[in-house]
Amino acid sequence: MQTDWSVVLTFLPQLLAGAKVTLQITLFGLVGGTLLGVLAGLMRAYGGPILNAIAFAYVELIRGTPIVVQVMFLYFALPVLAGVRVDPMSAAILAIVVNAGAYIAEIVRGAFLSISRGLTEAGLAIGLPHWKVLLYIVGPLAFRRLIPPLGNQFIVSLKDTSLFIVIGVGELTRTGQEIMAANFRAVEIWTAVAVFYLLMTGSLTLLLRMVEKRMRIL
Amino acid sequence: MSIIEFRQTSKHFGDLKVLDQVDLSIDAGQVVVLIGPSGSGKSTLLRCINGLEQITGGDLVVDGISVREGRRRLQQIRQEAGMVFQQFNLFPQMTALENVAFGPRKVRGTPAAEARAQALALLEKVGLKDRASHYPSELSGGQQQRVAIARALAIRPKVMLFDEPTSALDPELKQEVLSVMRQLAQEGMTMVVVTHEMAFARQVGTRLIFMENGKISVDGDPREMIGNPPSGRLRDFLQHVE
Ligand SMILES: Nc1ncnc2c1ncn2[C@@H]1O[C@H](COP(=O)(O)OP(=O)(O)OP(=O)(O)O)[C@@H](O)[C@H]1O
Ligand SMILES: [Mg+2]
């Protein structure tokens, strides 16, 4: 078996374009997913019975189903149900938002509830409303504990985008597949794809390490 | 004029009755020391005053405001009744100075520079001016508790509530906290103190309350009550703590 690494160079523009799509899905998906996750997590932790139940149902629904099924649902079933057209890119981003949001909700809930009840009471005892206690005291402390598990979820979500090959969105894995189909250079192309993923997850890990270092965990 | 008034106040946790129709009136300037066996409801009584626990029966009026008047009014009560906890509960991400300045800044909207100056003066009062820029993790327990007292004083309360403020401290660190409390009492602060420091009760207390099973069982002058306990159970209790 002969390898010819020059094909990687030949197809570099396509691979880069695929990586760019992967990054776009991840970035927009995680911004949305983090917002949704924080909201759902706070509803779980402080929401009262009704909000709590809504957030709980959402989290369980997402955690109990595979992400491939979720994105298939968003791309193929939702248009039928709601009568709207969803392009593959939007479906992919939405899938990350909804999927990461559920896992982040549990991370957020855990981090907030791990902060000692005494600190909340101390904040309340000086006359602050509860939301200010969460904003100024519990939030900043919880945030520090959030970073490591949040970083994990970011990396998982980045890699999950490769599953969107099933709806034909032109991300990195799909790109690799298409190049492969044309020239059958499996070793070279899949190695290159793997290296691209490693570069992206590696940068993310490095970035998180830096943030973690700047924050003392209290 | 009473500043705290329990009127047939009850508190239940589920089926458990922790405060049982308590009637108690505390006047401005009194230093009330609260003692009693574990589980008798001392902490609960204290925490009902500033609404950290919600009463389930009767009424409780603090500085003219009932704890049942709603959230906004409760926040007002909390600004009139500062609380010091057994576990200090300083905000770990803030320095001593920031801990003390935080309340005035966020509750009263005091400008930063003014809040800082006030906080520094309060830290000086509790003998910790030189520790202003230290984080709680860099302070001893006694120092943390003194910062916590300064933090509670910073919102200019009319009453100070202490829940076993020295119980988590080594014996040699208790005194520095007690002496700050003594000074506060001498300045005329109204205080309700849960403690088993009977020397403090004798020297500083103007009133001693012995609680049993969610009720006030003895209420009187600390020196008389300690010197000549009017009930057998109080006598046993005092022997136990001393
Ligand atoms: N949040 C709660 N939920 C359920 N029960 C509680 C709660 N807080 C206190 N209790 C119960 O209420 C009773 C009185 O508690 P409280 O803390 O007021 O007693 P205490 O006199 O302060 O005791 P200690 O000397 O041990 O601090 C105890 O039986 C306790 O278990
Ligand atoms: Mg107690």
Side-chain angles (χ1 to χ4, degrees):
Chain A
M1 158 98 221
Q2 262 190 327
T3 53
D4 174 11
W5 293 98
S6 72
V7 297
V8 173
L9 266 180
T10 313
F11 289 100
L12 197 58
Q14 282 93 322
L15 289 170
L16 280 171
K20 194 176 152 205
V21 173
T22 291
L23 279 178
Q24 279 171 342
I25 299 171
T26 308
L27 184 72
F28 291 121
L30 285 179
V31 169
T34 304
L35 291 176
L36 182 62
V38 168
L39 181 72
L42 292 179
M43 281 164 67
R44 287 280 281 126
Y46 305 106
I50 295 171
L51 292 180
N52 188 346
I54 293 171
F56 179 77
Y58 157 61
V59 169
E60 290 310 310
L61 180 72
I62 296 302
R63 292 206 305 183
T65 53
I67 189 168
V68 171
V69 174
Q70 290 160 15
V71 77
M72 295 288 237
F73 187 90
L74 287 173
Y75 187 56
F76 293 112
L78 197 61
V80 178
L81 288 177
V84 284
R85 276 187 58 83
V86 185
D87 62 290
M89 188 68 180
S90 305
I93 291 173
L94 202 58
I96 294 292
V97 169
V98 169
N99 182 272
Y103 290 95
I104 291 172
E106 285 303 281
I107 294 170
V108 167
R109 168 173 170 266
F112 272 76
L113 292 184
S114 76
I115 304 301
S116 137
R117 173 101 196 113
L119 292 177
T120 302
E121 291 189 343
L124 291 175
I126 54 178
L128 283 176
H130 197 206
W131 70 269
K132 279 193 183 178
V133 174
L134 294 181
L135 184 65
Y136 295 124
I137 300 166
V138 183
L141 290 170
F143 182 69
R144 293 165 159 83
R145 297 189 187 180
L146 223 66
I147 294 167
L150 206 56
N152 254 337
Q153 181 56 44
F154 285 6
I155 287 167
V156 168
S157 288
L158 191 154
K159 293 188 296 180
D160 276 352
T161 59
S162 74
L163 298 166
F164 299 157
I165 193 170
V166 296
I167 58 164
V169 65
E171 42 69 52
L172 185 54
T173 304
R174 173 82 184 191
T175 307
Q177 171 90 339
E178 278 167 1
I179 298 168
M180 252 283 299
N183 67 9
F184 302 104
R185 287 284 173 193
V187 174
E188 297 86 341
I189 295 302
W190 289 122
T191 304
V193 166
V195 168
F196 268 102
Y197 276 114
L198 270 174
L199 285 175
M200 290 190 283
T201 53
S203 315
L204 198 52
T205 306
L206 224 62
L207 190 75
L208 288 160
R209 283 279 146 73
M210 269 159 53
V211 178
E212 243 176 281
K213 258 204 187 140
R214 306 191 94 215
M215 298 242 164
R216 299 183 306 143
I217 303 274
L218 298 165
Chain B
M1 230 289 278
S2 70
I3 190 162
I4 299 171
E5 200 163 313
F6 289 77
R7 297 179 189 152
Q8 293 283 295
T9 310
S10 294
K11 169 66 188 175
H12 299 74
F13 287 112
D15 288 338
L16 185 69
K17 189 180 243 185
V18 177
L19 291 183
D20 189 0
Q21 303 187 359
V22 171
D23 278 308
L24 170 64
S25 170
I26 294 169
D27 293 340
Q30 287 188 334
V31 177
V32 180
V33 175
L34 217 55
I35 57 173
S38 180
S40 58
K42 307 179 295 294
S43 296
T44 304
L45 185 136
L46 209 61
R47 291 159 58 84
C48 284
I49 296 174
N50 70 349
L52 285 184
E53 301 293 355
Q54 244 183 333
I55 65 172
T56 49
D59 200 1
L60 170 48
V61 180
V62 182
D63 198 31
I65 308 170
S66 163
V67 295
R68 314 201 96 153
E69 279 176 48
R71 228 185 305 166
R72 280 281 165 74
R73 298 287 272 169
L74 204 54
Q75 282 160 26
Q76 277 180 313
I77 289 182
R78 286 169 178 163
Q79 292 170 34
E80 304 302 341
M83 183 170 250
V84 175
F85 301 86
Q86 182 176 350
Q87 298 299 339
F88 328 135
N89 294 338
L90 290 181
F91 308 132
Q93 73 272 42
M94 303 180 199
T95 63
L97 187 80
E98 288 162 352
N99 262 280
V100 181
F102 180 77
R105 292 273 292 127
K106 299 297 181 207
V107 179
R108 299 235 193 255
T110 311
E114 195 183 326
R116 247 184 94 82
Q118 275 177 19
L120 215 54
L122 280 167
L123 284 176
E124 183 163 28
K125 183 184 166 98
V126 299
L128 289 172
K129 199 180 177 188
D130 57 330
R131 292 286 187 277
S133 58
H134 287 236
Y135 286 90
S137 59
E138 302 163 346
L139 299 172
S140 75
Q143 291 171 335
Q144 287 187 57
Q145 193 60 301
R146 286 185 282 153
V147 174
I149 293 174
R151 176 179 66 181
L153 289 173
I155 47 162
R156 304 189 181 287
K158 293 185 181 160
V159 185
M160 285 283 283
L161 311 172
F162 295 85
D163 193 358
E164 306 206 32
T166 59
S167 295
L169 298 176
D170 293 336
E172 67 270 24
L173 297 180
K174 286 183 200 284
Q175 286 314 316
E176 62 188 54
V177 172
L178 288 171
S179 90
V180 168
M181 291 169 62
R182 201 171 292 129
Q183 182 193 341
L184 214 52
Q186 277 156 8
E187 289 167 8
M189 176 62 81
T190 310
M191 294 164 62
V192 185
V193 186
V194 177
T195 184
H196 293 144
E197 298 293 326
M198 296 321 296
F200 177 85
R202 230 179 347 242
Q203 292 161 12
V204 185
T206 58
R207 191 169 168 187
L208 184 63
I209 290 177
F210 179 53
M211 283 191 73
E212 281 180 294
N213 302 320
K215 288 186 193 307
I216 291 172
S217 95
V218 188
D219 178 356
D221 176 78
R223 280 155 293 268
E224 280 173 25
M225 270 170 70
I226 295 168
N228 185 18
S231 90
R233 277 204 298 275
L234 175 57
R235 187 178 320 119
D236 293 346
F237 178 81
L238 289 173
Q239 266 165 8
H240 196 73
V241 294
E242 277 179 323

